[in-house]
Amino acid sequence: MSVRSWEVARERVAARLLDSLDDLVRRHRSLTPPEPHGALHAELITAEVAHELAVARDALRRHPRIPDPSLRGIDGEAR
């Protein structure tokens, strides 16, 4: 897989995470839970955010960052 392909894959993961979190916020702002259910509503939001973060982390692990060769010196050491 080329460096560009890896970058594109990581960009897709980031875009999906941000879009999912935006959708989640929009969905939950439209809900107005009655007061006795406020804690349950907060727990639902927390669970959904945790899920989206886990999905993004898993996808990023499958597409790890490739170090930029231009950041290495002549001797191969990181600058």
Side-chain angles (χ1 to χ4, degrees), residues 31-58:
L31 300 174
T32 312
E35 193 54 40
H37 302 288
L40 181 60
H41 183 74
E43 183 59 34
L44 175 63
I45 293 169
T46 302
E48 286 192 54
V49 169
H51 170 75
E52 291 301 335
L53 291 172
V55 168
R57 281 190 189 105
D58 182 56

Side-chain angles (χ1 to χ4, degrees), residues 1-16 59-60 62-66:
M1 184 178 266
S2 72
V3 172
R4 183 65 190 141
S5 296
W6 286 91
E7 289 172 353
V8 168
R10 289 179 63 84
E11 287 170 7
R12 284 188 193 136
V13 169
R16 183 197 175 282
L60 288 170
R62 284 182 274 136
H63 303 285
R65 184 173 173 266
I66 297 177

